[in-house]
Amino acid sequence: MQLTVWTYEGPPHVGAMRVATGMERLHYVLHAPQGDTYADLLFTMIERRNQRPPVTYTTFQARDLGQDTAELFRHTAIEAYERFKPQALLVGSSCTAELIQDDPGGLSQTLGLPVPAIPLELPSYSRKENWGASETFYQLVRSLAGNAEARPADEAASRRPRCNLLGPTALGFRHRDDIQEITQLLDSLGIDVHVTAPMGSTPADIARLGEADFNVVLYPEIAQTAAKWLERTFKQPYTRVIPIGVGATREFIQEVAGIAQVDPGPALENAQSRLPWYSRSVDSNYLTGKRVFIFGDATHAVAAARVATEEFGFKVVGLGTYSREFAREVREAAKLYDVTPLITDDYLEVEAQVAELQPELVLGTQMERHISKRLGVGCAVISAPVHVQDFPARYAPQMGFGGANVLFDTWVHPLMMGLEEHLLGMFREDFEFHAEAAPSHLGGTGTTERRVAAAPAEVQPEAVTTDAAPEPAQDGEPVWSADAEKELRKIPFFVRGKARRNTERFAKEKGLHEISIDTLYDAKAHFGR
């Protein structure tokens, strides 16, 4: 275990909470000390849910450790059932409670409750959140759907094809809106959604999963294990294509149409996305070749790399994931872009690689947003973990043709706003646009000049600059001349840091003690070859 101030994933019982919170009429009894109740805030504060997660904690204290904590668990579980009357119970331990080895799973089988009590064995010190969510969903499906009868072979002929949507959970990145987008897309193909799980389903719904014709796996990190079990048990095929981006969505339509034996034509013809139009427009030339670094869960990172390359014209210079269970998929994708994959859950390693690669855009998690802000690089969030601003009240899917529009807005704006900021900075000393110039619609400059002159000294406006004053040169470091510093400010701020570092590196290699304007342009020519 590594001590850190920030982590991409919580312990596996948080993954179990994500499944339980997304479902209805399911309750999770968690054997945990008082401090482990912090996880409630993930859902009420960050996801802005209007109710607490359906979790009851035993909340034992230090003084309880000398007594019978197993009996405390039994009492808490029975009380939770009597109060909430769920269709099924999940029982398990937090990472702290795991150390006292009370075996909640075994104890749950002695409770005599009239509903299934499903034990969760989640090794907190070797696994993490996404694995915990996947294992929880798998145990739910295996326990509740395992006794269902296979659908009659002739029953499908009298109805439309139907499928299950698998994978969305609470605290997932845009899962709520992805469900809506993909449900509409399937309906345009003449396919009904039988059950969406875990999010929005009940234990009774889980028991009906075997009645569908096939499964659509939206998030493999959560649903792939359960989908494989359903395929073995009920002979239900499941989809492999993740419909993120226009190209992948069209492939997804073809894949689903092939499984369901329906015509994909109407859905393909009614595609509504502005991304392909923009990619063909002259404006998109500004984006061509932009260097992008991508990091997140495996599903979103691999999908983002494809969209960035094929639909935006970006150049992928870095690709990585914190999802170690899906490292193989990311390594295979990295080969397509000739980059070295970064498989890590240490945000400091990610920051070091971003600083080394010097991309013009970072696509990542909430952590990469902070890293990019520190390094002065544009960023768009594409994957959990995320903060409250990435659970918008508006409709903002990532999947389907609607999701492609959202990607278009989200990814392009950091770069376009960077261009706008650069233009404002470049013209800030122009006679019309300098800090003391009046707004042009007032018809002159006298108004602002008089207002500035009349202002008290302590509130005189200061010139707005985008660069901090250069730091004094250290021993052996080349010194920037005033003219070179002024010329450097004409370079767009989102690549200015790279230009500064490259120029200083060039000056050191040439043994120069002062960086002049000529040095700046010589370095540009050198690194531009």
Side-chain angles (χ1 to χ4, degrees):
M1 177 174 287
Q2 181 180 3
L3 183 64
T4 182
V5 298
W6 202 91
T7 180
Y8 287 99
E9 295 182 89
H13 74 265
V14 173
M17 289 181 66
R18 288 175 54 190
V19 172
T21 303
M23 293 182 63
E24 301 172 5
R25 305 208 57 188
L26 176 72
H27 202 79
Y28 185 20
V29 179
L30 186 62
H31 198 29
Q34 277 185 319
D36 284 358
T37 58
Y38 72 90
D40 279 16
L41 294 176
L42 297 174
F43 303 92
T44 56
M45 182 182 75
I46 295 179
E47 195 174 14
R48 298 188 284 191
R49 284 185 169 262
N50 59 0
Q51 56 188 4
R52 287 186 60 249
V55 181
T56 296
Y57 303 89
T58 56
T59 56
F60 59 82
Q61 303 177 48
R63 64 173 178 266
D64 296 319
L65 296 178
Q67 304 172 26
D68 190 353
T69 52
E71 184 58 33
L72 175 62
F73 170 81
R74 285 172 52 85
H75 174 76
T76 302
I78 293 172
E79 190 177 67
Y81 170 74
E82 293 295 337
R83 179 181 177 186
F84 297 104
K85 293 290 192 281
Q87 292 179 354
L89 276 180
L90 293 173
V91 296
S93 298
S94 71
C95 47
T96 309
E98 185 181 327
L99 299 174
I100 63 176
Q101 300 180 348
D102 273 339
D103 187 22
L107 292 171
S108 66
Q109 305 307 307
T110 68
L111 297 177
L113 298 176
V115 297
I118 302 167
L120 299 177
E121 297 292 338
L122 306 177
S124 299
Y125 297 96
S126 60
R127 297 288 189 170
K128 293 197 172 183
E129 181 180 326
N130 278 343
W131 183 90
S134 174
E135 178 67 11
T136 299
F137 185 46
Y138 167 67
Q139 293 296 342
L140 275 168
V141 171
R142 185 172 180 176
S143 299
L144 300 175
N147 297 324
E149 296 181 2
R151 61 193 183 283
D154 58 347
E155 179 257 348
S158 61
R159 56 166 175 79
R160 298 207 318 175
R162 62 191 182 197
C163 68
N164 302 312
L165 295 187
L166 303 182
T169 68
L171 215 63
F173 184 61
R174 309 291 171 82
H175 287 194
R176 174 201 65 193
D177 297 338
D178 285 346
I179 292 171
Q180 182 178 335
E181 181 73 18
I182 299 305
T183 299
Q184 292 172 351
L185 182 61
L186 292 168
D187 183 64
S188 71
L189 285 165
I191 299 172
D192 295 327
V193 173
H194 184 55
V195 173
T196 299
M199 183 177 283
S201 65
T202 65
D205 292 329
I206 299 294
R208 298 189 297 112
L209 289 175
E211 299 172 1
D213 301 314
F214 64 99
N215 294 305
V216 171
V217 174
L218 297 181
Y219 311 103
E221 285 90 346
I222 309 298
Q224 188 176 82
T225 303
K228 288 181 177 179
W229 183 86
L230 289 166
E231 184 179 47
R232 292 192 303 269
T233 305
F234 298 107
K235 306 296 187 255
Q236 292 174 329
Y238 67 91
T239 59
R240 268 69 171 181
V241 178
I242 307 301
I244 296 179
V246 174
T249 299
R250 297 180 75 88
E251 286 183 16
F252 172 79
I253 290 173
Q254 296 280 9
E255 180 186 30
V256 169
I259 294 173
Q261 296 298 297
V262 297
D263 180 13
L268 293 172
E269 292 170 3
N270 295 328
Q272 298 292 323
S273 177
R274 291 176 57 81
L275 177 54
W277 165 83
Y278 185 81
S279 297
R280 294 191 298 267
S281 73
V282 66
D283 288 347
S284 71
N285 291 339
Y286 169 70
L287 305 176
T288 302
K290 293 294 184 184
R291 293 162 53 84
V292 60
F293 176 86
I294 302 170
F295 192 87
D297 68 49
T299 295
H300 287 91
V302 171
R306 174 180 175 178
V307 175
T309 303
E310 298 180 5
E311 299 177 28
F312 283 86
F314 296 159
K315 178 177 175 56
V316 175
V317 296
L319 176 63
T321 184
Y322 57 82
S323 305
R324 293 188 181 276
E325 292 83 3
F326 287 80
R328 179 181 299 175
E329 287 80 352
V330 175
R331 290 191 177 101
E332 290 299 318
K335 293 177 183 178
L336 301 175
Y337 312 108
D338 195 26
V339 297
T340 301
L342 179 62
I343 313 298
T344 183
D345 56 5
D346 185 347
Y347 69 94
L348 294 176
E349 289 186 32
V350 178
E351 181 171 12
Q353 186 156 101
V354 172
E356 178 185 350
L357 294 173
Q358 302 179 10
E360 293 157 284
L361 179 67
V362 172
L363 303 176
T365 71
Q366 176 68 13
M367 192 64 236
E368 282 65 54
R369 189 205 302 273
H370 293 309
I371 290 171
S372 300
K373 187 174 182 180
R374 284 197 295 272
L375 298 177
V377 181
C379 179
V381 172
I382 61 161
S383 164
V386 296
H387 214 290
V388 62
Q389 64 266 47
D390 287 301
F391 287 100
R394 70 185 186 280
Y395 181 64
Q398 296 289 286
M399 294 186 174
F401 295 119
N405 288 332
V406 174
L407 298 184
F408 165 53
D409 289 338
T410 308
W411 298 9
V412 170
H413 286 178
L415 293 170
M416 300 304 285
M417 291 305 293
L419 176 62
E420 179 179 298
E421 183 75 17
H422 165 58
L423 293 175
L424 290 173
M426 188 170 69
F427 288 107
R428 68 178 177 270
E429 296 179 3
D430 188 275
F431 75 96
E432 285 189 273
F433 303 111
H434 64 83
E436 297 182 3
S440 59
H441 66 276
L442 296 181
T445 60
T447 303
T448 299
E449 290 171 354
R450 286 194 297 270
R451 185 174 70 247
V452 171
E458 63 271 16
V459 295
Q460 287 286 338
E462 298 180 356
V464 178
T465 62
T466 57
D467 280 339
E471 297 180 0
Q474 301 176 358
D475 292 341
E477 296 290 326
V479 178
W480 285 77
S481 70
D483 288 341
E485 281 281 2
K486 186 175 180 180
E487 192 72 11
L488 180 68
R489 293 193 189 101
K490 296 179 181 179
I491 298 174
F493 75 92
F494 44 86
V495 292
R496 192 178 302 151
K498 178 180 177 181
R500 179 185 288 276
R501 289 188 291 271
N502 283 348
T503 304
E504 291 173 351
R505 175 181 164 192
F506 176 80
K508 288 180 184 178
E509 291 175 353
K510 297 297 182 182
L512 303 176
H513 299 292
E514 182 180 70
I515 296 175
S516 64
I517 293 179
D518 289 340
T519 309
L520 179 63
Y521 282 100
D522 287 344
K524 178 184 177 183
H526 173 77
F527 288 104
R529 292 171 187 164

